[in-house]
Amino acid sequence: ERFYRVDKARSRAAGGTAALYRLRNVGAGNVSLTADNIYVSNGLRFENTGTFTLENGTDVTGGVNTSAAGQGTLVLNGTSSVSGNVGAAGTQLLEVQGGFAGGVSTLGNPVWADTVTVMGTGTVNFQGNFTGTTLDFAGDGIADVNGGKNITANITTVDGTGTLSFRGASVV
């Protein structure tokens, strides 16, 4: 079964860069992305309950969105980033996972998701606001929030692990 659909793709050999108009996860499976840089002018889009996994070193220029609220899981393995919005008000993702084993997961703009989970001993950098239900520390990682950005969610932790760090005035 095919879990994805590419609309108007073009790839570039230099540096493992891929340029896409839109990549859709249309099934319930996992789509693993491994290019150094992925330029997505119209977003990675969930149209079902599937997962997009950004492998270590994969950076997405563009956003991640979903066709309906509460579907789709975005996984940022190792050190990876998304420069655009993740989700939107009213159509939030189900979950964003990052901060695995010493990696740095950077979310460059606002995030709307039911849950953001700091999975291990790494860092999740919020460069925009996070609006959701839960910021969860599943390991002893760090959620780092840029100054002037806010977390609008409950914060949960396993056995008191995890660090929430603010780089300036913010609201939880």
Side-chain angles (χ1 to χ4, degrees), residues 49-62:
T49 58
T51 301
F52 278 121
T53 300
L54 305 182
E55 298 299 345
N56 187 38
T58 302
D59 298 314
V60 172
T61 300

Side-chain angles (χ1 to χ4, degrees), residues 61-157:
T61 300
V64 179
N65 56 60
T66 181
S67 61
Q71 67 182 20
T73 299
L74 176 64
V75 178
L76 292 90
N77 274 336
T79 297
S80 299
S81 68
V82 176
S83 70
N85 291 357
V86 175
T91 55
Q92 74 280 1
L93 269 61
L94 176 64
E95 185 173 15
V96 177
Q97 298 176 358
F100 289 88
V104 178
S105 305
T106 301
L107 302 166
N109 271 298
V111 175
W112 291 269
D114 290 342
T115 303
V116 171
T117 304
V118 181
M119 297 298 295
T121 58
T123 300
V124 175
N125 284 328
F126 291 95
Q127 295 180 346
N129 296 326
F130 165 48
T131 302
T133 304
T134 306
L135 172 58
D136 181 41
F137 289 90
D140 198 19
I142 300 167
D144 189 57
V145 183
N146 274 12
K149 304 306 176 187
N150 302 317
I151 302 291
T152 305
N154 294 315
I155 299 171
T156 61
T157 183

